[in-house]
Amino acid sequence: MMTNLAAGRAADRIMDMAADTAAEAQEMLAITDLKTHFFTQKGVVPAVDGVSIRIPEKQVMGIVGESGCGKSVTAMSILQLVSRPGRIVGGSIMLDGEELVGKSVKEMRNIRGNKVSVIFQEPMTSLNPVYTVGRQVSEAITVHRQVGKQEARQQVVEMFKAVGIPEAERRFNSFPHQLSGGLRQRVMIAMAMVCQPKLMIADEPTTALDVTIEAQILHLMRRLEEKSNTSIMLITHNMGVVAEICDFVYVMYAGKVMEQAPVFELFDHTKHPYTKGLLNSIPKPTEEKQRLYNIKGMVPNLLRLPKGCRFSPRCEYAMPECREREPELYDCGKNHKVRCFLYQKDQGGGADE
Ligand code: SF4
């Protein structure tokens, strides 16, 4: 993946400049100080704890982190699908200027699939096995648009062609189990894009696929994003996938954003010890025999967060101050912020890169 990044996207460094101006571009999604907590019998779990994320128009934003870091709960909060005992307890989620927090079930039903759509890791859990894929994608159109069956069918076939489903007319009548994993994921992307949403959330969309199909699906998503006005929020634990298609990256850990930067800035000038650990754990294709790097320790139990920096029990740079108080997000470069005391005073300096 990293080789692909260097070879395939070197010419795309212009994207870095685009990301630099991200703050000036029109924001499609603006999440501000979002707090989504789960009220369990054992106590309050702050799964998302004051997260602010911006996604400009026509950009692919990556949210990366280990399981339990809060990235999927952030996505569910946008969709207003946080299940009990969880709920949003603070913050704002503006989609194209419209506040989503506090919307009724009926209002959100009209927004989901229309202005914001989602694809998940395993399409079989999202597709109904007893209906043809064509019918299911058609329904995604007719629920939100005043179009007849025949026109919806035509739009679906066109969309199937756009996402690279061969023999689109024939595949319209296929059942999910008759398609390969890669084709099912293309159907899901077709369903997510067919109403031309403002935002598509892709939650680990390629984790269940083999590497070749993964590359094809990522390429397809990038192409669709470039051709449409849809912004993409890509949720992943895989830094290689981030390198492949993202313009900007947020690294989350234990419910907070730890580092955020344009993708090339993040890879070239990594700051946070946690992000460094994530990058070091990617296998390097140039090294024949290698030990896979592991970030030592475990993700903290959100019911018993450590005092101070949440990463301090696992951090090789931890200082006494880190165990006393929580760091803020400090500016440390072009459109680059990091939640680490190493960059508190000497912004742009700190630990060796
Ligand atoms: Fe490590 Fe301290 Fe930075 Fe946290 S604030 S990441 S413990 S150096």
Side-chain angles (χ1 to χ4, degrees):
M1 276 301 182
M2 293 298 290
T3 312
N4 288 349
L5 170 69
R9 297 189 64 200
D12 290 343
R13 282 199 168 247
I14 191 126
M15 297 299 291
D16 205 356
M17 289 158 60
D20 286 346
T21 54
E24 292 133 43
Q26 191 178 335
E27 280 167 358
M28 188 49 75
L29 181 78
I31 300 178
T32 307
D33 200 21
L34 178 69
K35 293 188 172 111
T36 304
H37 295 177
F38 288 76
F39 296 84
T40 72
Q41 288 185 338
K42 290 183 179 166
V44 178
V45 176
V48 175
D49 199 14
V51 163
S52 296
I53 286 172
R54 298 283 185 272
I55 306 186
E57 255 183 342
K58 287 176 73 67
Q59 287 228 348
V60 182
M61 193 67 57
I63 307 211
V64 66
E66 294 164 287
S67 347
C69 70
K71 51 193 194 308
S72 292
V73 178
T74 302
M76 287 312 209
S77 303
I78 297 167
L79 297 161
Q80 303 288 298
L81 286 176
V82 177
S83 48
R84 284 188 187 175
R87 64 184 154 86
I88 295 173
V89 295
S92 156
I93 302 171
M94 301 288 286
L95 177 67
D96 197 22
E98 186 177 6
E99 178 61 75
L100 300 186
V101 175
K103 285 262 187 247
S104 69
V105 173
K106 192 176 166 203
E107 286 170 321
M108 275 314 295
R109 211 173 282 143
N110 189 37
I111 288 170
R112 282 193 297 269
N114 189 13
K115 293 184 180 168
V116 54
S117 62
V118 62
I119 54 173
F120 293 107
Q121 177 178 337
E122 183 35 80
M124 268 316 254
T125 56
S126 310
L127 289 167
N128 190 326
V130 301
Y131 295 120
T132 65
V133 290
R135 173 173 169 177
Q136 293 181 63
V137 181
S138 296
E139 280 176 3
I141 301 173
T142 51
V143 161
H144 298 292
R145 304 272 191 275
Q146 298 285 340
V147 293
K149 266 189 175 177
Q150 208 42 45
E151 192 183 336
R153 182 189 172 99
Q154 197 50 42
Q155 286 182 20
V156 173
V157 170
E158 288 306 316
M159 199 66 218
F160 277 6
K161 287 178 185 167
V163 299
I165 295 176
E167 302 178 83
E169 291 272 2
R170 186 169 72 80
R171 293 298 189 191
F172 185 97
N173 295 317
S174 297
F175 289 91
H177 72 271
Q178 294 174 314
L179 303 179
S180 66
L183 280 183
R184 283 198 291 264
Q185 200 55 296
R186 284 176 195 265
V187 168
M188 287 309 301
I189 293 173
M191 194 184 296
M193 292 295 290
V194 78
C195 286
Q196 298 169 335
K198 309 273 184 199
L199 175 72
M200 179 169 84
I201 299 172
D203 192 351
E204 304 276 6
T206 57
T207 306
L209 304 174
D210 68 45
V211 194
T212 322
I213 307 295
E214 174 180 69
Q216 289 173 7
I217 295 289
L218 292 176
H219 179 69
L220 167 66
M221 284 169 57
R222 180 91 234 179
R223 204 159 38 84
L224 289 173
E225 174 271 329
E226 283 164 1
K227 279 176 147 181
S228 67
N229 281 324
T230 302
S231 306
I232 297 178
M233 176 192 269
L234 178 77
I235 294 170
T236 181
H237 64 278
N238 185 336
M239 284 304 242
V241 167
V242 166
E244 203 69 26
I245 69 162
C246 292
D247 299 313
F248 198 96
V249 190
Y250 288 83
V251 178
M252 283 187 72
Y253 183 79
K256 286 213 179 272
V257 171
M258 289 291 165
E259 186 164 9
Q260 62 189 65
V263 68
F264 287 113
E265 165 73 13
L266 189 92
F267 277 77
D268 289 347
H269 304 287
T270 315
K271 303 287 190 214
H272 200 284
Y274 176 60
T275 315
K276 290 180 182 181
L278 287 179
L279 286 170
N280 283 340
S281 49
I282 304 176
K284 294 175 183 58
T286 45
E287 292 171 26
E288 271 184 26
K289 281 189 184 170
Q290 57 180 304
R291 283 194 130 189
L292 284 183
Y293 175 84
N294 260 331
I295 303 171
K296 68 170 187 179
M298 305 280 288
V299 177
N301 181 339
L302 294 179
L303 281 166
R304 288 187 294 279
L305 281 168
K307 194 175 173 207
C309 173
R310 293 168 187 214
F311 190 60
S312 58
R314 304 173 78 183
C315 181
E316 58 186 284
Y317 302 100
M319 306 166 279
E321 161 179 44
C322 306
R323 300 195 175 87
E324 288 304 317
R325 62 190 183 94
E326 207 162 12
E328 296 164 22
L329 272 174
Y330 303 109
D331 285 319
C332 61
K334 272 192 231 159
N335 214 2
H336 190 165
K337 290 181 195 284
V338 62
R339 191 182 296 282
C340 175
F341 288 127
L342 293 170
Y343 304 93
Q344 182 181 13
K345 299 182 195 95
D346 180 16
Q347 296 193 351
D352 292 341
E353 282 159 27

